[in-house]
Amino acid sequence: MESTVERENQKANSAQRLGAIGLILIAGSGLALVATPNLARGEGGTPVPGPVINGVHRALDEGQRIYEKANCVGCHKWHGGGGGGYGGAALSLRATQLTRDEIIEVVHCGRPGTGMPRFDRDAYKDYPCYSGITAQDLGKDLPPDAATFLRPMEVEKVVDYVLEHIKGKGPTSYQDCTDFYGEGSRACEVYKNISINSQAAETEKKR
C-alpha cells in the first residue's frame, strides 16, 4: 500500500514539474500568459501552440494559422498594426507599401540590422537574399533565426493572408477582430465599443 501511494505522489510531483517547465518555456517566448489545464492564451486571447485548445479558437484560413504558428502576433500583433508590445516592436503590416514579392523576401530573409527574424533556414545560403548579400557580408547585422522555420509554401500562404486581411485595411475594427478570433470573443469588446462611439460621432456630425 505504501509503495502505491509513493508512486502516485511521484506521478503528481512529475506532472507539476512538467507543467511549471511548460509555462516557463512559453513565457520565455515573450508572451504574457494565463493558463488553464486545457487552454493557454497570450495577450488579447491569442492561443499559444502546445496546450489543448478544445475548439475554442479556429483560424480564419491556413494563412492565419501560419501567422499564429510563426508567432507573427508577438511583434506585429494579431491585427498587424505593429508598434511596441509584448513580443517586441515591428512595422505596421496594415500601412506597409511593400509588394507581395518584397514581403515574401522579408519573411524568408528577415530584415538585416533589426529584430525581424528569417523564417527560411536556408536564407543567405541556398535561398539568395537581397540581391545576393551573404551572411558574411552582414556580420552582426544578420537577422536572427526564427523560433519556427517555415516552408516556402507556408511563407506564400502567410503573405497572402497579410495581403488579403491586413495590408491597407485602415484602423482596426470590430469586424477585423471577430474575423480573427470568432464571434463572441471577449477580446473584441473594446473594438465594439470603439465602433459604437464612432457611429454615434458620425450621426452627431450629420445633425
Side-chain angles (χ1 to χ4, degrees), residues 22-189:
L23 287 175
I24 291 168
L25 289 174
I26 296 171
S29 68
L31 298 175
L33 301 181
V34 176
T36 68
N38 292 324
L39 180 66
R41 291 182 178 276
E43 181 175 302
T46 304
V48 177
V52 178
I53 294 177
N54 287 342
V56 172
H57 175 79
R58 285 284 183 269
L60 182 67
D61 58 23
E62 181 67 2
Q64 181 184 328
R65 186 191 69 77
I66 297 166
Y67 188 86
E68 296 183 63
K69 165 190 168 183
N71 195 30
C72 302
V73 296
C75 295
H76 294 286
K77 307 200 173 90
W78 69 264
H79 46 67
Y86 48 90
L91 297 177
S92 171
L93 298 177
R94 302 182 80 85
T96 183
Q97 297 300 307
L98 297 179
T99 66
R100 181 178 187 272
D101 287 344
E102 288 170 336
I103 299 174
I104 285 174
E105 184 171 41
V106 170
V107 177
H108 274 286
C109 303
R111 276 192 176 278
T114 75
M116 172 65 188
R118 56 186 189 272
F119 285 89
D120 187 335
R121 68 173 70 251
D122 295 320
Y124 303 95
K125 294 179 283 190
D126 294 337
Y127 185 92
C129 295
Y130 306 116
S131 301
I133 194 169
T134 68
Q136 290 72 28
D137 293 332
L138 290 173
K140 64 180 179 59
D141 289 330
L142 181 70
D145 287 343
T148 300
F149 287 119
L150 300 177
R151 297 187 298 275
M153 186 60 70
E154 290 180 307
V155 172
E156 294 202 16
K157 284 184 180 296
V158 76
V159 170
D160 286 338
Y161 168 75
V162 168
L163 293 175
E164 182 176 355
H165 299 286
I166 298 177
K167 181 182 175 182
K169 297 302 181 183
T172 306
S173 69
Y174 177 70
Q175 186 62 55
D176 293 330
C177 191
T178 56
D179 284 346
F180 190 90
Y181 287 118
E183 291 290 342
S185 171
R186 286 182 297 175
C188 299
E189 288 301 310

